[in-house]
Amino acid sequence: MTTADDFSSAFLSKPGQITSKLGSLVTLANVAKFPALNTFGVSMARVDYAEGGLNPPHIHPRGSELLYLEKGSLYVGFITTENKLFAKTIKQGELFLFPKGLVHFQLNVGEGPAVGIAALTSQNPGTSQVARGLFASMPAIESVVLSKAFQIGEGEVKHLRDVIAKS
């Protein structure tokens, strides 16, 4: 039997434990974790940032993101398909929009932790981290491809793979 509890959740209410070397943790409330979202075309996320923490460059292929900064100060930005950067520092209570499919990031530039709440325009927006996608894919992209694309040696490609796989 369906009850009101099927349409509510508290899992974004508490900070998560940040264990990533990047210093951030995303807790996603999408249709897979919160079935009530099915057919509504929305999802939400809580992003906890340690001091200096980074939500690294990533994309959401199926949704735009509206970030509300609940606590702290973040340097945020996105890059257009023409390689133009739109970036600024936002403070507690401010919003920033990341358009669908564009590379974007957030960096905690304040003192102490920060907390953001994101609304996404898809019940399953997807996330692809740029560095992880390129340097930690399975199977691995041929080293020569990354070496040529980034104009770095194959030793540097190996180093990046090792570092990113551990982050």
Side-chain angles (χ1 to χ4, degrees), residues 134-135 141-150 152 157 161:
L134 292 172
F135 292 96
I141 297 172
E142 293 290 329
S143 292
V144 66
V145 172
L146 298 172
S147 179
K148 284 185 178 246
F150 291 98
I152 59 176
V157 170
R161 282 187 168 144

Side-chain angles (χ1 to χ4, degrees), residues 52-105:
L54 173 70
N55 189 3
H58 62 282
I59 64 166
H60 302 293
R62 295 180 294 277
S64 296
E65 174 182 343
L66 180 62
L67 181 70
Y68 169 76
L69 189 57
E70 184 176 301
K71 175 183 177 184
S73 180
L74 298 177
Y75 174 67
V76 300
F78 66 88
I79 302 161
T80 69
T81 56
E82 290 82 27
N83 294 322
K84 181 171 181 177
L85 172 66
F86 287 87
K88 69 177 291 184
T89 298
I90 62 171
K91 295 179 174 91
Q92 183 173 328
E94 295 182 343
L95 299 168
F96 196 85
L97 178 72
F98 304 102
K100 175 177 153 181
L102 296 183
V103 174
H104 61 281
F105 61 88

